[in-house]
Amino acid sequence: MLSVSNLSISFDESQVLEGFNLSVESGDIFALLGDSGSGKSSALRFIAGLENAMNGSVVLDGADLSLNGVHSVKPELREIGMVFQDYALFPHMTVFQNISFGIDHLSKKSKTEKVASLLELISLKGIEKKYPHQLSGGEQQRVSLARALANSPKLLLLDEPFSSLDKSHRDELVKDVRSILKKQSVTSILVTHDEAEAKAFADKIGKIEKKQLFIN
Ligand SMILES: Nc1ncnc2c1ncn2[C@@H]1O[C@H](COP(=O)(O)OP(=O)(O)OP(=O)(O)O)[C@@H](O)[C@H]1O
Ligand SMILES: [Mg+2]
């Protein structure tokens, strides 16, 4: 389970979040809505340990990751996966190299098996040798998801991963990614502008208003 409490973030004297609280049960998918500039990405970045805050604590599966605004665990040790809006795949690396990037310490055999099973999970078997530019936007987002899931994170953060895709592809991918995350019981937070997308994807929805989170 993830619990974020009393998060307060400001930039240059302007307060973005103040007393923001959020809990996500293990295996649940939570959608975070809010106007542009309301602090959605900042909240995710703090949970990942990438953003500083005046105050705020993060507990994930019983472990303190941040306490009263101080990060106690480094981002790379948090066991948190992230997927962003622009498919952040490395353009000069193949799909195999992209997905296995975070599990490079494993043997060649384990990596090969792991990548094959992740590609099966995202319904893109056999594309190990392709480069990102040879894939559609939706396919690139599936590969980004596979990469984020490769080291079995305890929490997955998705920051508008569908918003650069056209509507027809988006609806299908939203459904598919939800079913992949549910199959693997990955606790997840999706940031989106789109209320319909939030409803189709998440078990629970909250909205940032007046610097705080309100659960619908
Ligand atoms: N590193 C930074 N330095 C200064 N201001 C920042 C920084 N990061 C974010 N902000 C400001 O904090 C506010 C919240 O930004 P944030 O990116 O969290 O919003 P958001 O809800 O994700 O918006 P969007 O929906 O447009 O992505 C914005 O006003 C933004 O300009
Ligand atoms: Mg944002």
Side-chain angles (χ1 to χ4, degrees):
M1 171 179 181
L2 170 77
S3 152
V4 180
S5 54
N6 214 9
L7 176 58
S8 294
I9 297 183
S10 350
F11 296 106
D12 312 323
E13 322 263 304
S14 112
Q15 186 127 16
V16 174
L17 297 173
E18 189 173 8
F20 171 103
N21 297 299
L22 164 66
S23 293
V24 186
E25 297 292 333
S26 291
D28 261 14
I29 301 177
F30 189 90
L32 185 56
L33 289 163
D35 294 340
S36 185
S38 61
K40 303 181 296 297
S41 296
S42 303
L44 284 202
R45 287 173 52 77
F46 180 77
I47 294 168
L50 299 168
E51 192 74 72
N52 292 323
M54 294 190 308
N55 200 1
S57 300
V58 179
V59 184
L60 180 59
D61 292 349
D64 285 319
L65 302 185
S66 304
L67 199 58
N68 303 325
V70 179
H71 295 311
S72 35
V73 177
K74 288 183 190 161
E76 62 272 25
L77 297 176
R78 289 190 170 212
E79 300 181 73
I80 292 178
M82 293 188 87
V83 180
F84 303 97
Q85 176 172 356
D86 7 271
Y87 344 107
L89 294 173
F90 301 113
H92 59 295
M93 289 187 191
T94 63
V95 166
F96 181 89
Q97 290 167 327
N98 266 286
I99 295 178
S100 61
F101 186 77
I103 50 169
D104 215 39
H105 55 282
L106 298 183
S107 69
K108 176 84 190 181
K109 182 168 175 282
S110 310
K111 277 194 287 190
T112 303
E113 286 171 4
K114 184 82 197 174
V115 170
S117 84
L118 285 162
L119 285 177
E120 188 164 356
L121 184 70
I122 59 167
S123 305
L124 286 175
K125 264 165 88 170
I127 63 156
E128 282 90 341
K129 293 197 174 121
K130 291 202 173 181
Y131 284 87
H133 75 268
Q134 297 173 300
L135 306 174
S136 72
E139 288 168 344
Q140 290 186 42
Q141 279 307 58
R142 285 172 197 261
V143 173
S144 298
L145 177 71
R147 185 175 64 180
L149 294 177
N151 40 23
S152 308
K154 289 182 175 157
L155 174 69
L156 183 68
L157 304 176
L158 303 135
D159 197 347
E160 310 211 33
F162 308 116
S163 49
S164 46
L165 305 172
D166 61 68
K167 181 90 174 94
S168 58
H169 291 109
R170 207 194 310 159
D171 291 349
E172 194 190 330
L173 190 62
V174 165
K175 243 193 309 158
D176 287 355
V177 173
R178 175 181 161 86
S179 99
I180 290 166
L181 297 180
K182 280 288 160 188
K183 215 187 290 176
Q184 308 271 304
S185 287
V186 188
T187 312
S188 309
I189 303 176
L190 169 77
V191 160
T192 177
H193 279 104
D194 184 336
E195 212 162 322
E197 181 182 299
K199 282 187 183 143
F201 192 77
D203 302 307
K204 241 184 182 179
I205 301 174
K207 189 167 186 185
I208 300 182
E209 267 172 290
K210 299 188 183 129
K211 304 172 192 168
Q212 297 196 343
L213 184 70
F214 291 89
I215 305 292
N216 290 36

